[in-house]
Each structure stands twice: as structure tokens, then as C-alpha cells.
Amino acid sequence: MASVIVTGGAGFIGANFVLHWTARRPGTVVNLDKLTYAGNPENLASLEDAATHIFVRGDIADRSLVTDLLRTHRPVAVINFAAESHVDRSIHGPAAFVETNLLGTFQLLDEVKSYWSGLEGEARDAFRFLHVSTDEVYGSLGPDDAPFAETTAYAPNSPYSASKAGSDHLVRAYHHTYGLPTLTTNCSNNYGPFQFPEKLIPLMIHNALAGKALPVYGDGQNVRDWLYVEDHCSAIVRVLEAGRPGETYNIGGNSEQRNLAVVHTLCDILQELAPRASGTYKDLITYVRDRPGHDRRYAIDPTKIRSELAWEPTETFESGLRRTVQWYLDHQDWVGRVTSGQYREWMSQHYGTA
């Protein structure tokens, strides 16, 4: 009945992971989340009365709090999802990204190192610190370039990806310098339930159902690899189970798609599941000025996690997108509650519309 600590477990990926883990594993999940704009306790409403889930509101940079949680709960692993993650926000306000992604990760790592150093025997050998990162640390690919591998040199192009690259380097350093048994995962673009509606897919669903413009950056030809969030969660579990300490594992969905193609597919699924009264959802597509430093293409080579850990995604892009659209259609009350306050202010500032 061992416990784990999950940081950032009220956010999109973190909450999905907590739900995935508690449904399949015994023991306690201690969920530490600062509850910034994208952290939403409602994502975890199904665990409200569960004895296996302990929610703690707090910052990974609060060393005394982290120390207390480690000493009290004696976790066998710490899984770090805590991060500011939206590129556009990092362009407008990079300081928060450096504070959380870089400095916060350092504070967390240092306290975890102290805790692990005090463990003995099997408990010390079994402990893991898993750091969840992004493929954006690798920079941008040309149309014919090979996908990102774990050996690809880092070349971040936004304040967000630079702050995540820095945190990855710290995690690597704490393994090589101190022996801390770390694991790092670099994932492609996630989508699925509970994603805050500023990212491409939930934004398009939300705007389409409201009859608003579907804003597509530039020419819409930027390419991303798409990973259904449940597949991401299963990959993280697999890395925790069998990954080699000190190693990095790239996690992708085998689904390279141009942004415009993503919007077109999404519109087709919406038209089937919730037909528009007049015209089609594609009529709402609007091109907007590209964002600064917009990386042209990301792609993941998943050979390492497939060959070493026998992991593969179970969802195709279309099957995962269909599940996602249906979830948002079934949870319009959730969408309505999160699309208020700071979200509306952000949309007004960035796109000129609420």
C-alpha cells in the first residue's frame, strides 16, 4: 500500500494521471497543486471521498511543505507534472515560467534528494523521481527532418520550452552528480478530457459550439504529433515500472497532423455528433496572425520506449479525437465553469474576443 506524490495533479495531464493511477493501483496518491488558473480541483471530483487521494494545495517551491509531505507519507515515487505550460502565455509573461518550471523544479529536486539520501536498503533502491517534460525542448523540425529522438540536441525556441529544457537539465544533473534515481519523459501534444480551453483542440470545440470564430495561427500548416492523454498516462506508469534510472523516454502518439487538418477533422466529428443548424463548423475557421517564434514541426521517434518497455499508444488520432469531442459534449457544465474569470480575460487580451 505504498504512497506516491504527484505534483500538479489538478491540471490537465496531472489529473488524468491521478485518476488513471487510483483506478489501477493500491496505496495513496498525495496530490500537491498550487491551483493556478489551469489547476482545477473539479477535475478530481470523483475522488472527493476517496481515502486513497489526499489533496494538498501548495507550491513545489515551498521546501518546508515538500519536506513535511515526504516525511509524513514516505512515498516510493514523486511524479512531477507541476509546470506552466502554455507557449502563448510564456511569450506575454515569461517570469512565471522560469519561477515554476526552473526554480520550482530545483527546489523540489533538492528536497527529494535529501529525502532519498535518508532511505536505506530496498526503499532506497526502489525510489524514483519522474519528471514530465515536453518535445518542445528539442526545437523545430523541417518537413523532411527525422523525428526527435532522446539523443536530439536541445534547441528551445520559446520561454516555455526554454524553462522546461532547464528543468530537464537539472533532473539529469541530480542523477549524474548525486545518484538520485530520476526518469524523464518528453511527450508530444496531449489532448483529451479536462484540458483547459486555451489549447487548440478544446478551444476549437468550445468556440465551435458557441458559434464563434475558430482562430488558426498563420497558414495552419504547423505540424504536431498528437498523443491521447490516457495513452500518455499509461506510458508514464510503464516508465515508472521498468524505466532505467537516469534515462529519458520520448512518448508520442504516432499521429503527425497539420494544425489545419486537426481543425478540419474536429469540425467533421462535431458536425456528425452535434450538427450545426446552419452551414458547417468549417465556416467558422479564421486565420489569425502567427505567434512569435512559432515552431514549424514537432515529431517523436518512439523507438526507445517501444523497444525497451514494450509500450505503444492504443488510440489513433481520430479515435482519440472522437472520444475527446464526445467528452466535451457530455461535460458542457464543466466547460462553462472553467471558461470564466481569468480565462475570459486571457482570451480578450490575446485574440481580442472573450
Side-chain angles (χ1 to χ4, degrees):
M1 300 295 286
S3 68
V4 297
I5 292 178
V6 175
T7 69
F12 162 48
I13 303 176
N16 274 283
F17 179 80
V18 169
L19 294 169
H20 179 95
W21 183 275
T22 54
R24 293 164 177 80
R25 296 296 181 101
T28 301
V29 173
V30 181
N31 185 347
L32 175 63
D33 197 294
K34 191 177 178 180
L35 295 184
T36 57
Y37 73 95
N40 184 0
E42 188 178 353
N43 298 348
L44 302 160
S46 63
L47 299 177
E48 186 174 2
D49 298 319
T52 55
H53 179 245
I54 299 171
F55 180 78
V56 179
R57 183 172 185 175
D59 192 337
I60 59 171
D62 184 341
R63 296 182 71 133
S64 62
L65 173 60
V66 171
T67 298
D68 181 63
L69 293 176
L70 290 166
R71 288 176 178 171
T72 300
H73 298 284
R74 313 297 294 176
V76 297
V78 174
I79 304 102
N80 182 35
F81 292 94
E84 296 282 351
S85 66
H86 191 45
V87 174
D88 293 342
R89 286 181 181 268
S90 80
I91 293 169
H92 289 278
F97 289 74
V98 174
E99 290 166 4
T100 296
N101 300 353
L102 189 57
L103 299 178
T105 298
F106 161 69
Q107 304 282 17
L108 178 66
L109 265 174
D110 212 43
E111 289 303 318
V112 169
K113 175 181 73 71
S114 296
Y115 164 75
W116 168 77
S117 297
L119 298 176
E120 296 180 350
E122 185 177 335
R124 183 182 173 93
D125 294 340
F127 181 83
R128 296 291 184 269
F129 178 94
L130 190 147
H131 177 64
V132 179
S133 192
T134 172
D135 59 359
E136 297 192 35
V137 298
Y138 297 120
S140 185
L141 293 170
D144 299 318
D145 291 341
F148 300 133
E150 289 81 359
T151 55
T152 301
Y154 277 26
N157 291 320
S158 71
Y160 161 61
S161 56
S163 66
K164 288 297 289 184
S167 68
D168 292 5
H169 290 319
L170 282 171
V171 172
R172 174 185 171 86
Y174 267 65
H175 173 73
H176 286 275
T177 302
Y178 305 111
L180 183 67
T182 63
L183 299 156
T184 298
T185 58
N186 295 84
C187 68
S188 55
N189 278 34
N190 277 223
Y191 66 101
F194 300 115
Q195 189 169 27
F196 195 75
E198 65 183 358
K199 300 296 180 78
L200 178 65
I201 287 174
L203 173 64
M204 295 299 150
I205 296 172
H206 175 64
N207 279 16
L209 293 175
K212 296 181 178 180
L214 307 183
V216 175
Y217 279 132
D219 61 4
Q221 298 305 301
N222 300 75
V223 176
R224 300 292 183 264
D225 176 74
W226 292 91
L227 175 65
Y228 187 64
V229 68
E230 184 74 13
D231 281 331
H232 187 192
C233 294
S234 71
I236 291 171
V237 172
R238 185 63 187 142
V239 172
L240 271 174
E241 289 174 339
R244 290 179 288 135
E247 292 295 311
T248 294
Y249 294 88
N250 283 353
I251 303 171
N254 299 325
S255 299
E256 278 191 67
Q257 302 282 335
R258 288 179 171 81
N259 285 351
L260 187 59
V262 171
V263 177
H264 280 172
T265 303
L266 189 152
C267 287
D268 289 340
I269 294 172
L270 269 176
Q271 192 66 28
E272 175 189 340
L273 298 179
R276 194 172 179 221
S278 176
T280 70
Y281 291 107
K282 290 180 182 178
D283 299 334
L284 300 173
I285 294 173
T286 304
Y287 295 93
V288 299
R289 185 176 64 182
D290 211 353
R291 72 184 180 205
H294 196 179
D295 291 336
R296 194 62 171 173
R297 173 176 169 247
Y298 304 146
I300 285 283
D301 178 356
T303 300
K304 183 175 179 178
I305 193 171
R306 182 174 62 237
S307 60
E308 289 191 12
L309 306 183
W311 177 87
E312 290 271 13
T314 60
E315 298 290 342
T316 66
F317 178 68
E318 182 152 348
S319 69
L321 188 59
R322 182 174 292 274
R323 288 183 64 181
T324 301
V325 171
Q326 189 63 62
W327 186 90
Y328 280 92
L329 289 173
D330 293 341
H331 294 83
Q332 283 297 292
D333 53 345
W334 179 90
V335 176
R337 284 189 289 273
V338 300
T339 52
S340 61
Q342 289 187 346
Y343 171 76
R344 289 186 178 276
E345 293 170 11
W346 165 251
M347 292 300 296
S348 179
Q349 173 193 353
H350 196 67
Y351 292 118
T353 181

